[in-house]
């Protein structure tokens, strides 16, 4: 557990207590699942290898919030989302996509890569520390 984990838990206590936000524990398990669901290069998703993707640069956190909302609307994303950060936090969180969008500003102020993953690992949205915003559909998802 990190200082940032404690800050997240404290700031979002009401959502945890209501059950709208769930602490899934350590994030390492979720990163292993992410690596099985998406092609990786080093320790990051290899976005170029995804069959459906979108990439943009960002100047500020509001850009990422808009990007997330646009992608969610365009791709008709819904349901539960898992959040993991890759360095300064150890926790994994799960909530409905609408709540996750609402708490984005708190989560992304932490200086690390941020991954928002469909609970079935069909898609991922990422904000990197360098300001890259990426979205992709897993190449292992089969659609009719």
């Amino acid at each position: 557990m990190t200082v940032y984990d404690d800050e997240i838990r404290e700031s979002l206590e009401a959502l945890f207590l209501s059950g709208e936000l769930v602490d899934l524990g350590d994030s390492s398990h979720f990163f292993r699942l992410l690596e099985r669901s998406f092609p990786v290069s080093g320790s990051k998703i290899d976005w170029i290898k995804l069959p459906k993707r979108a990439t943009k640069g960002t100047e500020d956190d509001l850009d990422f919030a808009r990007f997330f909302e646009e992608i969610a609307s365009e791709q008709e994303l819904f349901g539960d989302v898992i959040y993991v950060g890759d360095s300064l936090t150890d926790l994994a969180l799960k909530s409905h996509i609408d709540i996750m969008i609402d708490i984005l500003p708190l989560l992304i102020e932490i200086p690390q890569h941020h991954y928002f993953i469909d609970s079935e690992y069909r898609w991922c949205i990422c904000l990197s520390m360098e300001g890259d915003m990426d979205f992709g559909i897993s190449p292992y998802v089969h659609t009719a």
Side-chain angles (χ1 to χ4, degrees), residues 32-141:
R32 284 192 296 278
L33 292 173
L34 188 63
E35 289 174 351
R36 289 185 201 147
S37 301
F38 291 86
V40 294
S41 177
S43 63
K44 297 180 184 176
I45 293 175
D46 192 349
W47 299 101
I48 299 286
K49 292 184 179 174
L50 300 181
K52 191 171 196 178
R53 65 185 183 278
T55 300
K56 281 186 175 180
T58 180
E59 294 297 319
D60 59 38
D61 292 349
L62 287 176
D63 285 345
F64 182 68
R66 282 190 294 272
F67 178 75
F68 195 114
E69 289 177 359
E70 287 170 12
I71 291 294
S73 176
E74 290 169 9
Q75 300 297 321
E76 299 179 0
L77 307 180
F78 58 89
D80 287 337
V81 175
I82 297 168
Y83 165 78
V84 290
D86 77 344
S87 60
L88 296 178
T89 57
D90 293 329
L91 55 67
L93 302 174
K94 183 177 178 181
S95 188
H96 189 274
I97 192 168
D98 294 334
I99 292 172
M100 204 60 80
I101 289 170
D102 288 344
I103 65 173
L104 274 176
L106 173 73
L107 298 175
I108 64 176
E109 72 182 20
I110 300 167
Q112 64 180 351
H113 296 326
H114 303 274
Y115 296 89
F116 299 86
I117 312 146
D118 167 70
S119 60
E120 303 281 324
Y121 288 80
R122 294 174 293 212
W123 55 262
C124 179
I125 298 175
C126 176
L127 173 63
S128 74
M129 278 184 25
E130 299 81 17
D132 297 325
M133 301 181 294
D134 295 287
F135 164 78
I137 302 287
S138 171
Y140 312 115
V141 171

